[in-house]
Amino acid sequence: MSTYTLKDIALATGGKLVGDANAAVSHLLIDSRGGIPPKMSIFFAIQGAHHDGHKFIEELYHKGLRNFVAVQSALPNVKALPEANFIFVDDTLDALQSLATFHRRRFSYPVVAITGSNGKTIVKEWASQMMHGEKKVVRSPRSYNSQVGVPLSIWLMGPENDVAIFEAGISKPSEMHRLERMLLPDIGIITNIGAAHQENFNTVKDKLQEKLELFRHCSVIIYQQDQKIVDEEIRNIPTKGKQLFTWGTSETATLRILSQEEGLQTKLTLLFAAEQFDVVVPFADDASIENAMHTISLMLVLGFTADFIAERIHKLIPVAMRLEQKEGINGSTIINDSYNSDISSLTIALNLLNNQKFDKRTLILSDIFQSGKRNEELYAEVAALVKEKRINRIIGIGSAISANADKFEEVEKRFYSSTDDFLHSYHKEDFANEAILLKGSRSFQFERISRQLERQIHQTVLEINLNALIHNLNHFRSVVKPTTKMVAMVKAFSYGSGFYEIASILQYHRVDYLAVAFADEGVELREAGITMPIIVLNAEPGSFDLMINYNLEPEIYSHTALRRFSESAIKAGVTDYPIHVKLDTGMHRLGFIEMDLPLLIAHLKSDERLKVSSIFSHLAASDELVHDDFTKGQIDLFARLSSRITDELGYAINRHILNSAGIERFPEAEFDMVRLGIGLYGISAVDTSKLEVVSTLRSTIVQIKDIPANESVGYGRKGWVNEPKRTATIPIGYADGLNRKLSNGVGKILVKGQLAPIIGNICMDTCMIDVTGIDVKEGDEVTIFGQNPTITDIASWIGTIPYEILTSISRRVKRIYIQE
Ligand SMILES: *Cc1c(COP(=O)(O)O)cnc(C)c1O
């Protein structure tokens, strides 16, 4: 993590510092939304056409933020902010960019910049997928490619990386040179040149020339030679000292495609540096081949061998853009592309539509905005495209497209004024055995149409809201001292919430450590690309060698473990390897007790292979008032024993004892670090109102039954029916983690806003609920837990703890991650 003092930032931005010059900063904020800002943040009050960051300074101050970059004359009442530190500048966006420029120049590893109309994100993501484990890549989060996004991406560069890949996008002329100045890329890629954001450019050439600004100081430029206009323009710019790395079918291309065989995958035979090799790209559409070729070119420029590339490329996984493909009703397929609505992305999407194995193709298209063209001209072009791509039916939604209905000829057509208008008048039977492309501008909310046309899949999913998780993290950050470090517990599949997804967002939000229960879990995270420090709690001697290999830090809780870890450290030839010493202060599970200390200290003092990074203990009853005296005793004992060790070792060691409930109830015992577990996942022993629900377990009704009187429901005939009842069957059972103790009315499931009791015994894969008097139908959604009932409700119904409910959801239940 990069840390600068305000003095450094004032120097880098040329601003005037008023306040504490030594205050340290490691997070940049440009947005006031989203909970409590992390410690050591600085807010840049960006001024835009519709937005002025200065308005949020006061609110952020009250959330605890102290450091601001602002324009003095635009500032609200400074007297209300007595503890704030300011860097005053003339233009806050310039200042943010200057800081990025300054930061970028500290690193000498290659910076790759990607520009072009489509494919930037995919090339970036694929290149980093392919280099995984070989290079430590830093890259733009999602598609942070704008005047504000690029500086935030650059800020992520650190000394630990060895290549950076960033996107650069422009929407107005003259923006690119600012991006170039910040990025100073060594390698440039131009993916393609389409019609996106056309309205501000006179001609494609102008736009291209603007984009090529990015390559001013590059030593290598990668592009597709068959795009004639790109080739011509690049050869027009001063290319002295630059290598032009081209790919294409022509003989003069640096990387030449000799042949291309299509099926579900695409086999390419390539020629590079007089060497011929084959690769199999696991996609068949033109856009993916183009993206793959750019990725392969970059890999070659970075020195990867053809063999390595061939081995990795067929494992590429699709990048979730805003283009989704789903199974639709009546045997149809739905492609929902809400990414962008312009002619070039429409062309790409129509190509994808044509790749579907259907004879019939329908396009549902909204008005297209910001095309820079007159409507008559625009829709004439769309109509020509529809004809060229042999679309059978067009459904136009919106007033502009409807007004141009006559442009569409020789095609079945229908027009609606709005999405609602369509939804009120369409019939499900109208769509069968065809491929349907939904292409709508954002404001038309085509996801509502998509939902109607999707085949209802009867499945149970655990929905994990990552925004809520970060909200909870920030809540706990705001209650501890700003200097207190944070360990996030991701043991047991992150309390059931999933592994890599949770770990990577915690890494992104810069918690200090992750903690897992077993070495295998740590290995899984490393293999998935998590680079931050990881503590292994139940570190077994049998896995010590593996742990050192994967740079995992053990909890050491016994003399045996210490001796065995020392031996592994000798074998691996490491010194100062970080370990975490566990003391038993009353939990009586794992850890050294007072009597063990002399021998422990003697060993640690004489062993330069190991370095104690932290000393910790665990509270047995931090959430229970009746045991508070006992807890205080544990804390006192910990303070005494841990200082004996730190005094003797004589170097800085982090001390920690608090878990989630401890953080909430014993703030005086924070020491240097805390270990956040269940609170992160939205459950509090003290006050749940401060936390947001992270996990929601949902399913759907697969069948409704009317049960006559004197019949029974389910195994063992336990669900006895005295009077006629209506039941609904849900595809979730005890094998999914629905505890069987919830059978026979103990548990309830939310349907249509009402809690319906479970009737009869829960089966392995299903359960039945009593929906008598509730207006439900097959396909309706039900909630097993979430806002209501809560995980805590369910735990109390069967006399267990929320931890067990959360961690029992089996891995066969699909996890879906939501993030805005
Ligand atoms: C699981 C665990 C925690 C986290 O506990 P929560 O109650 O979930 O916050 C902290 N420390 C240790 C040693 C643990 O095993």
Side-chain angles (χ1 to χ4, degrees):
M1 164 161 25
S2 323
T3 304
Y4 288 91
T5 62
L6 291 189
K7 192 163 117 209
D8 299 331
I9 294 181
L11 270 175
T13 58
K16 185 175 89 179
L17 172 68
V18 178
D20 177 4
N22 293 322
V25 161
S26 51
H27 297 266
L28 307 185
L29 290 186
I30 46 129
D31 194 331
S32 61
R33 286 168 302 180
I36 305 294
K39 294 172 284 183
M40 308 216 303
S41 298
I42 186 163
F43 178 70
F44 282 74
I46 304 287
Q47 294 171 306
H50 311 288
H51 169 100
D52 184 358
H54 292 85
K55 281 201 222 124
F56 304 106
I57 290 182
E58 216 172 308
E59 174 192 333
L60 284 163
Y61 183 87
H62 291 300
K63 284 183 181 171
L65 195 74
R66 290 295 174 265
N67 308 312
F68 302 93
V69 177
V71 176
Q72 195 159 12
S73 57
L75 215 56
N77 179 13
V78 194
K79 292 215 184 64
L81 320 167
E83 291 170 26
N85 305 311
F86 286 103
I87 294 173
F88 291 122
V89 296
D90 295 335
D91 182 322
T92 44
L93 179 61
D94 277 350
L96 179 68
Q97 297 187 344
S98 302
L99 179 58
T101 307
F102 178 82
H103 184 63
R104 153 70 182 100
R105 280 156 181 72
R106 290 177 46 199
F107 305 103
S108 54
Y109 49 79
V111 171
V112 182
I114 311 178
T115 191
S117 302
N118 298 97
K120 296 189 288 292
T121 305
I122 295 178
V123 173
K124 176 194 70 185
E125 292 300 320
W126 281 359
S128 54
Q129 278 179 28
M130 285 184 62
M131 289 177 219
H132 175 69
E134 300 294 313
K135 294 224 184 262
K136 296 203 177 74
V137 181
V138 53
R139 63 190 199 273
S140 331
R142 286 180 276 162
S143 51
Y144 276 32
N145 62 24
S146 64
Q147 297 292 314
V148 171
V150 167
L152 297 181
S153 302
I154 291 175
W155 184 254
L156 301 177
M157 292 176 78
E160 69 280 12
N161 298 115
D162 33 38
V163 58
I165 310 180
F166 298 129
E167 294 179 42
I170 48 170
S171 51
K172 292 202 297 274
S174 87
E175 286 183 337
M176 193 56 99
H177 83 273
R178 300 178 68 142
L179 300 184
E180 197 277 335
R181 196 190 51 178
M182 282 185 271
L183 288 165
L184 197 66
D186 304 285
I187 300 169
I189 303 179
I190 179 154
T191 55
N192 62 33
I193 190 93
H197 305 294
Q198 188 72 294
E199 78 229 317
N200 284 318
F201 291 94
N202 296 328
T203 65
V204 174
K205 256 191 181 162
D206 282 358
K207 177 163 59 172
L208 190 55
Q209 279 166 0
E210 169 81 26
K211 289 200 166 157
L212 296 181
E213 278 286 306
L214 181 63
F215 304 145
R216 189 177 280 262
H217 297 97
C218 280
S219 51
V220 185
I221 305 176
I222 297 171
Y223 67 95
Q224 180 184 6
Q225 198 176 29
D226 302 341
Q227 287 202 74
K228 283 288 162 267
I229 179 162
V230 176
D231 192 40
E232 265 167 40
E233 287 304 312
I234 287 185
R235 290 180 196 279
N236 274 339
I237 61 175
T239 48
K240 194 157 150 275
K242 292 191 195 327
Q243 183 200 348
L244 300 184
F245 188 107
T246 59
W247 67 265
T249 47
S250 126
E251 256 175 48
T252 55
T254 321
L255 172 64
R256 188 173 161 205
I257 302 180
L258 296 176
S259 73
Q260 178 166 349
E261 275 171 49
E262 278 158 33
L264 286 175
Q265 310 192 323
T266 307
K267 182 174 158 199
L268 298 169
T269 302
L270 304 175
L271 182 69
F272 173 70
E275 190 191 339
Q276 184 174 325
F277 64 106
D278 290 340
V279 296
V280 176
V281 181
F283 303 96
D285 60 292
D286 296 346
S288 296
I289 301 306
E290 203 174 291
N291 293 330
M293 286 305 295
H294 284 115
T295 310
I296 295 171
S297 303
L298 175 60
M299 297 292 288
L300 289 169
V301 168
L302 289 174
F304 288 94
T305 63
D307 283 348
F308 180 86
I309 292 171
E311 185 209 312
R312 291 275 170 115
I313 199 148
H314 79 266
K315 294 186 202 145
L316 285 183
I317 46 177
V319 176
M321 299 290 287
R322 277 161 275 183
L323 188 146
E324 305 172 316
Q325 184 159 355
K326 293 190 181 133
E327 247 182 280
I329 50 174
N330 310 324
S332 59
T333 266
I334 299 175
I335 301 168
N336 183 14
D337 179 7
S338 57
Y339 185 61
N340 216 335
S341 133
D342 59 50
I343 294 265
S344 61
S345 72
L346 177 62
T347 313
I348 292 174
L350 286 173
N351 289 341
L352 186 63
L353 186 66
N354 280 359
N355 275 331
Q356 307 301 316
K357 311 269 165 283
F358 286 98
D359 294 331
K360 189 172 170 201
R361 291 180 286 271
T362 293
L363 167 65
I364 306 184
L365 180 68
S366 78
D367 286 353
I368 294 176
F369 300 127
Q370 299 186 329
S371 69
K373 297 194 175 95
R374 284 181 312 115
N375 279 342
E376 291 77 47
E377 197 187 328
L378 171 68
Y379 292 105
E381 236 177 274
V382 172
L385 200 54
V386 164
K387 200 167 177 180
E388 178 196 325
K389 302 289 178 193
R390 301 189 320 278
I391 301 304
N392 307 78
R393 169 166 66 167
I394 172 148
I395 296 175
I397 300 182
S399 51
I401 193 168
S402 300
N404 287 283
D406 59 334
K407 305 273 185 314
F408 297 88
E409 291 168 350
E410 294 168 45
V411 59
E412 187 188 333
K413 55 186 177 179
R414 253 180 285 160
F415 294 86
Y416 299 87
S417 62
S418 67
T419 301
D420 278 324
D421 187 17
F422 168 79
L423 287 174
H424 286 134
S425 38
Y426 88 104
H427 297 286
K428 288 205 166 167
E429 311 76 65
D430 294 346
F431 298 90
N433 305 316
E434 63 190 301
I436 306 166
L437 171 64
L438 290 169
K439 182 89 183 135
S441 300
R442 201 74 63 74
S443 57
F444 280 87
Q445 300 183 320
F446 271 16
E447 59 284 359
R448 289 164 58 210
I449 300 179
S450 169
R451 238 175 279 140
Q452 292 295 318
L453 297 182
E454 261 166 50
R455 193 166 76 92
Q456 286 292 337
I457 315 160
H458 302 301
Q459 68 171 358
T460 301
V461 295
L462 184 65
E463 203 176 273
I464 291 137
N465 183 334
L466 295 174
N467 294 82
L469 184 94
I470 295 311
H471 168 94
N472 298 339
L473 173 67
N474 288 337
H475 167 71
F476 283 94
R477 278 181 160 159
S478 75
V479 301
V480 300
K481 291 192 296 279
T483 48
T484 302
K485 297 197 173 99
M486 186 82 77
V487 186
M489 311 306 287
V490 294
K491 60 189 182 187
F493 202 50
S494 302
Y495 289 53
S497 312
F499 232 27
Y500 171 71
E501 294 80 1
I502 303 289
S504 80
I505 194 163
L506 291 168
Q507 171 166 283
Y508 179 69
H509 284 269
R510 301 175 187 279
V511 300
D512 299 280
Y513 288 91
L514 297 177
V516 296
F518 297 101
D520 291 353
E521 298 178 334
V523 171
E524 194 178 329
L525 290 180
R526 285 278 184 259
E527 295 266 331
I530 299 296
T531 51
M532 62 180 292
I534 299 176
I535 303 173
V536 178
L537 297 171
N538 301 336
E540 298 150 314
S543 62
F544 285 164
D545 294 339
L546 185 72
M547 289 181 54
I548 296 180
N549 256 330
Y550 280 87
N551 197 13
L552 304 169
E553 305 177 12
E555 164 186 321
I556 297 292
Y557 49 81
S558 69
H559 291 306
T560 316
L562 182 59
R563 204 180 55 245
R564 295 282 299 274
F565 197 79
S566 243
E567 289 163 9
S568 292
I570 296 173
K571 247 200 289 172
V574 294
T575 52
D576 283 344
Y577 197 92
I579 61 169
H580 302 266
V581 171
K582 174 76 160 289
L583 302 180
D584 177 3
T585 55
M587 173 86 179
H588 302 324
R589 180 170 63 177
L590 293 174
F592 294 96
I593 56 175
E594 182 156 18
M595 212 176 71
D596 297 324
L597 255 49
L599 188 56
L600 171 67
I601 292 170
H603 183 144
L604 292 172
K605 270 180 139 168
S606 66
D607 191 342
E608 78 282 2
R609 288 174 296 270
L610 307 182
K611 177 149 193 206
V612 180
S613 174
S614 85
I615 305 176
F616 72 110
S617 186
H618 194 45
L619 296 174
S622 60
D623 54 348
E624 291 182 68
L625 196 71
V626 289
H627 296 303
D628 279 1
D629 285 340
F630 174 82
T631 301
K632 285 184 186 133
Q634 273 197 284
I635 292 169
D636 290 343
L637 181 60
F638 174 68
R640 191 162 61 76
L641 299 187
S642 59
S643 27
R644 253 178 78 187
I645 304 176
T646 51
D647 288 352
E648 293 264 7
L649 293 184
Y651 51 82
I653 300 176
N654 290 314
R655 299 192 293 164
H656 47 114
I657 192 166
L658 298 183
N659 65 338
S660 306
I663 301 172
E664 294 181 285
R665 303 191 59 241
F666 298 92
E668 67 281 6
E670 254 173 48
F671 296 93
D672 309 299
M673 192 143 100
V674 294
R675 301 188 303 274
L676 180 59
I678 196 130
L680 191 56
Y681 306 99
I683 291 158
S684 164
V686 177
D687 180 6
T688 297
S689 71
K690 295 278 189 338
L691 301 179
E692 287 181 3
V693 171
V694 173
S695 301
T696 304
L697 182 59
R698 293 186 206 285
S699 190
T700 41
I701 293 176
V702 287
Q703 194 170 27
I704 304 268
K705 285 186 177 294
D706 286 304
I707 315 286
N710 301 318
E711 289 276 325
S712 65
V713 176
Y715 283 121
R717 307 199 66 197
K718 282 290 191 292
W720 190 254
V721 174
N722 285 323
E723 50 193 276
K725 275 188 190 301
R726 171 169 284 201
T727 63
T729 304
I730 318 288
I732 178 172
Y734 55 79
D736 299 291
L738 187 67
N739 195 305
R740 196 165 169 279
K741 294 204 182 91
L742 292 163
S743 298
N744 301 307
V746 176
K748 298 179 184 63
I749 289 180
L750 189 78
V751 48
K752 294 272 152 143
Q754 294 188 49
L755 286 174
I758 293 173
I759 178 167
N761 280 327
I762 293 172
C763 314
M764 188 185 288
D765 312 300
T766 40
C767 70
M768 281 68 84
I769 54 177
D770 179 353
V771 293
T772 313
I774 307 177
D775 176 26
V776 292
K777 56 180 188 318
E778 284 169 16
D780 280 350
E781 188 178 87
V782 304
T783 304
I784 294 98
F785 61 66
Q787 294 283 0
N788 177 30
T790 62
I791 292 167
T792 311
D793 291 336
I794 296 186
S796 74
W797 291 338
I798 57 172
T800 184
I801 49 175
Y803 299 77
E804 188 185 346
I805 304 294
L806 256 182
T807 55
S808 314
I809 303 306
S810 77
R811 278 179 95 152
R812 85 173 186 193
V813 174
K814 189 168 162 207
R815 269 71 176 167
I816 292 183
Y817 297 88
I818 302 183
Q819 187 178 16
E820 310 230 304

